[in-house]
Structures are given as structure tokens and as C-alpha cells.
Amino acid sequence: MWGIPHNTPMVRISASERSATRQRLIDAGKVEFAARGLAGARFDEIALAAGHAKGTIYNYFDSKEALFFTIVKDWCTQLVAGFVTANGASAREQLLEIARLDVEIARKDLDLARVVINQLPGLVGDHRVGVETAIGPGIDLLTAVIVAGQERGEVLAGQSARTLARLFLNVLSAIEQEALASDSELGLDDVLPLVDGCFLRGLVQ
Amino acid sequence: MWGIPHNTPMVRISASERSATRQRLIDAGKVEFAARGLAGARFDEIALAAGHAKGTIYNYFDSKEALFFTIVKDWCTQLVAGFVTANGASAREQLLEIARLDVEIARKDLDLARVVINQLPGLVGDHRVGVETAIGPGIDLLTAVIVAGQERGEVLAGQSARTLARLFLNVLSAIEQEALASDSELGLDDVLPLVDGCFLRGLVQ
Amino acid sequence: MWGIPHNTPMVRISASERSATRQRLIDAGKVEFAARGLAGARFDEIALAAGHAKGTIYNYFDSKEALFFTIVKDWCTQLVAGFVTANGASAREQLLEIARLDVEIARKDLDLARVVINQLPGLVGDHRVGVETAIGPGIDLLTAVIVAGQERGEVLAGQSARTLARLFLNVLSAIEQEALASDSELGLDDVLPLVDGCFLRGLVQ
Amino acid sequence: MWGIPHNTPMVRISASERSATRQRLIDAGKVEFAARGLAGARFDEIALAAGHAKGTIYNYFDSKEALFFTIVKDWCTQLVAGFVTANGASAREQLLEIARLDVEIARKDLDLARVVINQLPGLVGDHRVGVETAIGPGIDLLTAVIVAGQERGEVLAGQSARTLARLFLNVLSAIEQEALASDSELGLDDVLPLVDGCFLRGLVQ
DNA sequence: AATGAATGAGCATTCATTCAT
DNA sequence: TATGAATGAATGCTCATTCAT
């Protein structure tokens, strides 16, 4: 009985292996969800693309919905974690920074962007709860920025900050959607100018 | 066992009857598609709500997709048919008029609006073709307005008119989507000011 | 528009056809459930044996459990419906008559008997509710017979009639189970004497 | 990457440790099998309840069935080992003693009793072999007692001793089953009088 | 034209079993 | 020995579509 600490975690794969498998599943999920939507996505395909058996997904995610919302939450986490505001930045500058981050994320991971931008609006019924939960932190961040902007008089005060936050996200997504369309002449580079020139010009100041 | 069960109609139905049945199916389809999306909608429910048998739908529409896109096309037809431009109207006025029409249609038929606004962006793959076809006339109308506006120098000229048309529709939908959300403080009345103040201010002139 | 009563039921198959299909499914279900138990039975097999597609079962029964309990209830209904008591029959005679009926039903339909006798005791958890509901009328009948017997002093009074009813059914099933076993020397003809000689001799009078 | 994850025991475990682990698995198995039946039991749950990993079960038992029948055999072993017959005891006294032992075992281990009493009858097909093997010694014991009773003229001679033995076990189980039912007014204390008064009175002498 | 029973492909999910560590 | 991640066969159930009446 000497020598063997029996209370060490008896893992069979290392944390990095587990994490890698999980990431492969997530990556494959992004592709499939982007291509077929939540309802149309098939676990068979995701598992196959990830190089695993179908059952393996259930070692990492409870259900198809769980994998989907993990992906959406991942997007939201990146957005919130990446946001750093400079001292004395205006509401407009901060909103633009969020938009810039979002575009940056989309540029790195087009499938992720397609999932978030195209699929979320169409989710109805029970799935709405999952959507709201998953993107909640992003909405919270935007709301905080807008509240501060309203207090400084930079953002129009007639509407609640939360409503304006959701509106901002909706419109940002709408512009990105066009930019991501395969037959569009717009590219991701055009998103920020459009957000600033078209949308923020009316919302702030 | 004498007697034949005459359980099938033996006469042609009148054109008005046929039309009425078709409309009942469309109306029931709007409700179901709005509530569950294209993938989640069930023909059983649509038929039941319309007061018909499931098989009857196939006497009027080739498939679930066909019914869906008929509904979308119906929206588009209303939009295009309702548009009347005054002599000498500016691009901004004309775009606002289209937005006003769209809001008016949404107000009359919330389910139709939910189908168009929420479901269309999520359609991917083969369905994209159906989407483009169904909303084509609307895009064409907007494109024509924008082209004329660009020729008169009212609309920014850096982008193709078609791209701007799709962008306009996207953003209009995004704003309406927030306005239609059940927990939103925004209403349909707020859409036009937002389109004008936020978006058109940057797009035109 | 003359001549066609549009409010006649628009059935596509006659009631007898529907009933026949339903019965084929029930018969195939009996075989499969008897051979593999509720958990092990496969809908594929039942449908195949009945000469139908898998989905057809769902036009007649909500779920595997529903088909199973329909079968059990069918047994119970036969038992209750077949019971006719002679004037002035003693409790012992009535209980024997019920046992005789049960043996008769088993003789006509061995698979049905195997389902009821072998499978019911092993159902646990949520399934217990289904069991109690399905065999309720049989228990009620036995209880009524025993209550009357207790009032006439023919049945021992120390226990509740309902408990004795369930005990009677348990023991009857236990004896039949042995009689149905493939390698048993006992046959169904031996059940009644055993019930009377061994069990009722202690229970009544 | 220096350091080897010593997450596996490197020493043999002692016989007592092995035995304790085995017993924990058996105990957990009793609970799970009693609650869900053989088909419905999950190895995950058994392992979790026993404080081990799922794979560990396979170091002790070949399969789910093997664990199940080990449990059943354990019951049978207890029954046979506990039986001590007094000199000159009658068949009735010896059968009652076996019943008493069975009730005693059930009282000590209700889950074990539920497994044996409720689950065994429902096992069909290939599983029957396992059942017969597992309870064989118990049947042998009963058969020996009955054979001797028949030779002394105490037990009715029309049926084979083995058949009567199985019948006795069936009926004993049926009575215990009612006594174990959660909503029954009968308790385990009522089993012996019922076996004696109702059943043995007819079977012996 | 209308019906609705029948169909069967399709799919998410479960879980006993294996095996590399 | 112990582990638990990986596996993949198995299966209940759904539902768009067909078609005989």
C-alpha cells in the first residue's frame, strides 16, 4: 500500500486529450450546424467528421441541443472575454470595439459566425430559453456599455438599455449576415464602417 | 353490405371553394411555421388547424417546402404590389415607404411576419435557392429604387445596388425582429423611426 | 351539391378492416411480449409478424407500453366479461369459476397467458401503475366475490378482501405458471384441482 | 512531461479486499435489479452505487447476466445452507422450515427478495437456462424433502416430486410477493401461516 | 377532390462491453 | 487491478409522402 496515492483522479486520458477530443467535436459541430441548422444537423455526421463514434459525443455533451448551445456560448464567451475598454472611451467607441471583436471572431471562425448569425433568430419555442441563456453575457455587456452611455448622455435615452443592446446585436448580425453571404459583394471589412456610419450615427450622440 | 360508402366527393369543387381551401391551408401554415420553423412544422398540425386531412395539402402544394415558400412569396407579393411611388419621391422616401408597407403587412399578419423575419435567415443549403426565388421580386424592387437613387446621387455609390437592397432588407428585418419579440419594449411603431434615424441616415445622402 | 352527405365519416378503411389490422398487431404483440418480455420486445418484429410496417403500429397504439397494456387489459376484460355467477353460488364456487375462466382463456391463447402470468410480476417503477390499472377490473371482481363471501362467513375475515383478491390472483398465476412451463409434468387441467384442493381449502370456510 | 501518472494500482489486492469489492458490487446490483429488473438495470448505476468504475464490474463478473445470476444463486445458497432438519421431522415441518428460512432471508435483504420473487418469472428464452441453473440446488433440496415425504406417505404421490417442488416455490413466491407489495396489508409475518394453512394443508397428508 | 391509413427512411439516444493505460 | 473513455449496435419513435378508395 505504499506509494500509490489512491485519491488521485483516476483519469484514463489526460486533460489535454480530453480537451482536444471535445474541441474536435465542437469544431465538427460548428460545420454541421452552420450547414444544416440545429434541426437538420445529424450527430452521425458530426461524429464522423470529428473522427469519433456517435456515442462518444454523449461523453461530452448531453444532447444535440447541449452541443449547439455550447458552441453559441463559446462565441459569447470569446466576445465578452476579448472586450477591453480604454479609459475614457465613448459609448460609440466601445460599441464599435465590440463590433470589431465580433467581426474578428467571425473572421477566425466562419462556421461559428454562421451558426450564431443565421441560426439563432430562427429558434423558437423551448429553444428560445437556451438562446437567451447562451447569449446572456453578451447582452449584459452591451447593456452595461449602453447604460453608461445613457448616463453620460451619449446614447438616446428613450429606450431601455437592454432593448437597445438586443437591437444592436440584431442589426450587427444582419449586416454580418450579408457580409458572409457567398454571393455578396460585401465582405467582413465592410461591416464596421456600416455599423458606424449607418447605425451608430443614429443611436449615439 | 349493400350500399356504397360515398365518402368521396363526386363533383368538381368551384374555383372559390378551391381558393378558400388553399387559403385555409396557407393560414394554418403561417401559424405552424411561425411557431416551429420550417424543419419543426408538422403537416398533421397544419391540416388539422385548417380543418382538412393531411393528404389534402398535397392537392394544393407539392411539399412542405412548397407551402412554406408559397407563404414567403405571398409576403413578397404583398410588398411589391402595395408599393406605389409618388412622383418625385426621393430614394429615402421610397425606402421608407417600403419599410412602412412591410410594417403594415406585419401588423395585419404577425405570423406571416414571424415566418419571414425569423425563419428565412436560418435556411441553408438547398433551401437558399427557394429563399432567393421567393423574395426575388422584393429584392428587385428595392434594387430598382436604389439604382435610381444612386443615379440621382442620393444613395452612396460604393456598393452594388443589389447588395444594398439585401442589406436594407436584412437590417429592416433585424429591427422588426426586436419589435416583434414578446419581451421587447419596442413595438412595430418604433420600427420606422429606427430605420430612418439609424439606418437610412447613413445609407442615403 | 346534391346527394353527397358531407358529414359522413370519411373513413378510408372499413371498421372491420381497421379492427382486423388492430387484432393482427395485438396477436403479434402477444407472441413477441411472451417470448421476450416488455423490455426485450422489438416493434420491428411485431410489425413484421403482423405483416405491416413499423410505423403502422403507431396508428393504433401510442407506444410499446400502450400495446402491452392493451393486451393485458384484453385478458382482464375477457375474464370479467365471462364471469357469470349462478344463484346461490358459494364464494368457493365463484372463485373456482373465475379460475376456470382464467384457465379457459389461457388454453385458447397461450401467449396471452404467458404475458399476463410471467411478465406482470416483474414490472416495476412507473410500469406498476399501468399494471394496476390494466388488471383493476379483475381485482375488483375478485374483491366483490370475496367481500360477499366474508359477509356470509364463508371467507376468512382477518384480511381485507382486496388483499385476498390479489393474493388469489398471485397464487393462481403461480400454479398456472408451473402448468405452462414447457418441461413441467403439470398441465392446465391440473390447475383447478390444485387451486381448490390446496388453496381454497385454506382460504374459504 | 516528466512523471508518470501512477493512476493504476501496482500491487495485488488482498483476498479480503477483493471479496469486499465483490460484495459491494453484489449489494449494489441487488438494489438496481430489484428496482429496474434485469433488462432495465444499468451497469453505470451499479458501479456508481458500489463506488467503483463501470469497467471494474467486469473484473468480477463476465456480464450483466452473470452478476444477476450470481445474486440469485447467492439467495439459493443461503437457503440450502441454512436448512437443518431435525430428526424425525415430517415433510410438512421441513417444508415449513424452508419457507421460514426464505422469509428470514427476505427480511434481512428485501432487495434480494424482490429480485428473486419478482424478476425470475419474467425471464424467458435464453435466460431460462440461467434461472434453472441458479435455483437448481434449491429445487434439489425441496425435491429431496418431497421424495422422502412421498415415501413416508405424507405427500400426495400423483405428481413427480420435482414438479411439486417447483410448484411449492412458485406459490411461496406468490404469497411473498403480495407480502412485499408496498400497498399490501399483508406482511412477511403472514407468509408462513398462509403457506401452512392454505397450501400445505392440501399438499401434504 | 378528399381522405387518412400505410409506409419506411431517418435519427437521437442508450448502454453493455472493450481495452489502452 | 482499476479505470472510464470509446465504441457502435440496437431501437423506439417521428413524420413527410403516397395512394387506394
Side-chain angles (χ1 to χ4, degrees), chain C residues 9-167:
Chain C
M10 298 278 178
V11 290
R12 294 298 97 186
I13 61 175
S14 68
S16 72
E17 273 176 300
R18 179 166 180 92
S19 180
T21 296
R22 186 184 152 93
Q23 194 57 47
R24 269 196 306 278
L25 293 170
I26 286 177
D27 289 341
K30 284 174 188 170
V31 177
E32 178 77 359
F33 286 129
R36 300 184 195 275
L38 174 52
R42 286 163 302 158
F43 253 31
D44 276 359
E45 289 300 317
I46 294 175
L48 187 68
H52 285 274
K54 185 162 43 164
T56 300
I57 306 187
Y58 289 90
N59 292 332
Y60 293 85
F61 305 98
D62 283 343
S63 63
K64 193 162 78 156
E65 278 73 25
L67 173 56
F68 182 85
F69 285 120
T70 295
I71 290 170
V72 175
K73 198 169 290 186
D74 173 52
W75 162 82
C76 195
T77 302
Q78 283 189 56
L79 192 69
V80 172
F83 180 68
V84 186
T85 182
N87 271 348
S90 67
R92 179 176 173 179
E93 288 166 338
Q94 292 183 79
L95 291 173
L96 267 180
E97 168 62 12
I98 291 175
R100 194 195 59 75
L101 261 176
D102 197 37
V103 170
E104 185 182 314
I105 295 169
R107 214 187 297 272
K108 282 188 312 190
D109 195 339
L110 288 179
D111 287 314
L112 174 58
R114 289 197 184 95
V115 170
V116 172
I117 291 170
N118 295 334
Q119 302 305 324
L120 289 194
L123 296 184
V124 286
D126 296 344
H127 288 152
R128 282 317 305 174
V129 179
V131 173
E132 303 297 340
T133 304
I135 71 171
I139 298 290
D140 290 343
L141 173 62
L142 281 165
T143 303
V145 165
I146 289 172
V147 162
Q150 285 175 324
E151 287 171 353
R152 293 193 303 267
E154 296 171 23
V155 178
L156 57 89
Q159 304 291 343
S160 88
R162 192 157 205 92
T163 292
L164 292 176
R166 304 203 313 191
L167 186 62

Side-chain angles (χ1 to χ4, degrees), chain D:
Chain D
M1 277 318 137
W2 38 265
I4 297 154
H6 283 287
N7 49 17
T8 58
M10 307 235 126
V11 295
R12 299 277 180 83
I13 62 171
S14 69
S16 72
E17 271 178 304
R18 180 166 177 91
S19 179
T21 296
R22 186 184 153 92
Q23 194 57 46
R24 271 198 303 277
L25 292 170
I26 286 178
D27 289 341
K30 285 174 188 171
V31 177
E32 179 75 1
F33 286 128
R36 301 185 195 274
L38 173 53
R42 288 164 301 161
F43 257 31
D44 274 355
E45 289 300 317
I46 294 174
L48 185 69
H52 285 272
K54 191 161 44 162
T56 300
I57 306 185
Y58 288 89
N59 293 330
Y60 293 85
F61 306 98
D62 283 343
S63 64
K64 191 159 81 156
E65 279 71 25
L67 173 57
F68 181 85
F69 286 121
T70 296
I71 289 170
V72 175
K73 198 168 290 185
D74 172 52
W75 163 81
C76 196
T77 303
Q78 284 189 56
L79 193 68
V80 172
F83 180 68
V84 186
T85 182
N87 271 347
S90 67
R92 179 177 175 179
E93 286 166 339
Q94 292 183 79
L95 291 173
L96 265 181
E97 168 61 11
I98 292 176
R100 195 195 59 73
L101 261 176
D102 196 38
V103 169
E104 186 182 310
I105 295 169
R107 215 188 294 273
K108 280 189 312 188
D109 195 340
L110 289 178
D111 287 314
L112 174 57
R114 289 198 183 95
V115 171
V116 173
I117 292 170
N118 295 333
Q119 301 305 323
L120 289 194
L123 296 184
V124 286
D126 297 342
H127 288 153
R128 281 320 302 175
V129 178
V131 174
E132 302 298 341
T133 305
I135 70 171
I139 298 289
D140 291 342
L141 173 62
L142 280 165
T143 302
V145 166
I146 289 172
V147 161
Q150 285 175 325
E151 288 171 353
R152 293 194 302 268
E154 296 170 23
V155 177
L156 58 88
Q159 304 291 343
S160 88
R162 191 157 204 92
T163 292
L164 292 177
R166 303 202 315 190
L167 186 62
F168 178 78
L169 215 46
N170 271 6
V171 173
L172 173 57
S173 287
I175 295 172
E176 287 177 318
Q177 189 187 342
E178 176 60 25
L180 288 177
S182 61
D183 56 344
S184 175
E185 298 168 352
L186 249 49
L188 284 172
D189 292 335
D190 300 310
V191 172
L192 279 190
L194 281 165
V195 169
D196 189 28
C198 294
F199 191 68
L200 290 183
R201 188 164 303 180
L203 184 67
V204 300
Q205 283 194 344

Side-chain angles (χ1 to χ4, degrees), chain A residues 96 99 168 172 175 190-201:
Chain A
L96 266 181
F168 178 78
L172 172 58
I175 295 172
D190 301 309
V191 172
L192 279 190
L194 282 166
V195 169
D196 189 28
C198 295
F199 191 66
L200 290 182
R201 187 164 304 180

